[in-house]
Amino acid sequence: MFTTVDCPVTTLATDTTCTASYTLTQVDVDSGHVANTATVTGTDPNGTDVDATDSTDTLIPAGPAITLVKTGTLNGSAAGDSIDYEFLVTNTGNVTLDSIVVDDPMFTTVDCPVTTLAPTESTTCTASYTLTQADVDAGQVDNTATVTGTDPNATDVTSTDTESVSIPAAPAITLVKTGTLNGSAAGDSIDYEFLVTNTGNVTLDGIVVDDPMFTAVDCPVTTLAPTESDCTASYTRPRPMSTPSGRQHRDGDGHRPERHRRLTPTPSRCRSRPRRRSRWSRRHAQRQQRW
């Protein structure tokens, strides 16, 4: 083990202490001990050599340890975008660890470039996760990963780390209203359509279209996922009613009917009276009848 062993004297009447220093290797630490045998030799006054041997086995306590640091990088904030994860694994113990594996319930496998680490060594494992609409609606993705390594004594050591990646919400909605004219005379109709589109990144519910022309606009669905445009409706204004004057009443589309003047003439209350004849005229008439 040594090139030389330092002895302060080489002639002994009784005893002396010799010394030497040995530097541990990783193999020694991984094995957990250092065993060796030394031999001492001396010559007596008659020129005869004498020798002796002794062995030691020095135990080296194992201190296996491992750490995991998980980080996530968000690439977009919509369903179908991804989070790139890195798992920094470091051997923080004093023995070599092998069979290193990162377990994460979000992934079938996590790719690690090496599976054996000496003390102080690190490796970065990677995995990519695809966002679901549920993730985006929740506003974040939380999960915990675990790394496991095995020391030379077949003892497993583990470490865990939890990462929370925030997903910014960007709610948005658009409305396109179109009308189709069906004729150009009183009583013809306009068919309206209301195209509602979710242009944001989160699910929208409780969708309702309000239009002062109508009591209600019928939408077939009230919940839309991003990019969906399933909410359309059509409304036909019914034929207006006419008054005796020929003017049109407005119907129940939210418009109040107009008040119309009554134009049909009514009989006068005044009556014409015949002219009263004078006294002379009456007498003259009587004479005419006699003749």
Side-chain angles (χ1 to χ4, degrees):
M1 290 181 65
F2 310 107
T3 303
T4 59
V5 175
D6 182 30
C7 292
V9 296
T10 58
T11 299
L12 291 178
T14 54
D15 58 46
T16 189
T17 300
C18 302
T19 58
S21 181
Y22 174 73
T23 301
L24 293 174
T25 66
Q26 189 59 52
V27 174
D28 297 328
V29 179
D30 289 345
S31 67
H33 68 102
V34 175
N36 85 307
T37 299
T39 300
V40 62
T41 301
T43 303
D44 68 10
N46 297 318
T48 303
D49 290 337
V50 292
D51 59 52
T53 60
D54 192 26
S55 297
T56 62
D57 192 352
T58 304
L59 297 179
I60 304 170
I66 196 170
T67 61
L68 173 65
V69 177
K70 178 181 180 180
T71 57
T73 301
L74 184 65
N75 302 311
S77 57
D81 291 333
S82 64
I83 302 176
D84 291 335
Y85 286 98
E86 290 188 345
F87 307 81
L88 179 62
V89 180
T90 304
N91 183 346
T92 54
N94 69 337
V95 292
T96 299
L97 299 176
D98 56 21
S99 301
I100 291 172
V101 61
V102 174
D103 179 57
D104 192 316
M106 287 178 60
F107 310 105
T108 303
T109 58
V110 175
D111 182 31
C112 294
V114 297
T115 58
T116 298
L117 292 176
T120 74
E121 287 184 343
S122 297
T123 189
T124 299
C125 306
T126 57
S128 183
Y129 175 73
T130 300
L131 294 175
T132 66
Q133 188 58 52
D135 297 327
V136 180
D137 290 344
Q140 64 183 28
V141 175
D142 300 325
N143 84 306
T144 300
T146 302
V147 63
T148 303
T150 304
D151 74 2
N153 296 316
T155 301
D156 288 340
V157 289
T158 62
S159 178
T160 61
D161 191 33
T162 299
E163 173 72 347
S164 179
V165 177
S166 297
I167 305 169
I173 195 170
T174 61
L175 172 64
V176 178
K177 178 180 177 180
T178 57
T180 302
L181 183 64
N182 301 313
S184 57
D188 290 334
S189 65
I190 302 175
D191 292 337
Y192 287 100
E193 287 189 347
F194 305 81
L195 178 62
V196 180
T197 304
N198 183 346
T199 55
N201 71 336
V202 292
T203 300
L204 301 176
D205 55 20
I207 292 172
V208 60
V209 175
D210 179 55
D211 191 314
M213 286 183 65
F214 312 111
T215 303
V217 174
D218 181 32
C219 285
V221 296
T222 59
T223 298
L224 290 177
T227 73
E228 286 186 343
S229 302
D230 288 342
C231 186
T232 60
S234 181
Y235 183 85
T236 302
R237 298 188 65 187
R239 179 183 295 274
M241 298 179 294
S242 297
T243 65
S245 65
R247 294 189 180 182
Q248 296 175 352
H249 276 295
R250 297 182 184 178
D251 53 24
D253 295 342
H255 291 262
R256 291 177 300 177
E258 297 180 357
R259 293 183 177 179
H260 302 281
R261 292 178 298 170
R262 188 174 183 181
L263 301 180
T264 305
T266 58
S268 173
R269 293 183 180 179
C270 299
R271 295 181 180 178
S272 60
R273 295 180 180 179
R275 299 176 98 183
R276 298 184 67 178
R277 297 179 181 180
S278 66
R279 184 179 297 176
W280 181 86
S281 297
R282 291 197 299 271
R283 288 179 180 176
H284 179 73
Q286 290 173 358
R287 290 175 182 172
Q288 292 291 334
Q289 291 177 358
R290 290 175 184 172
W291 296 338

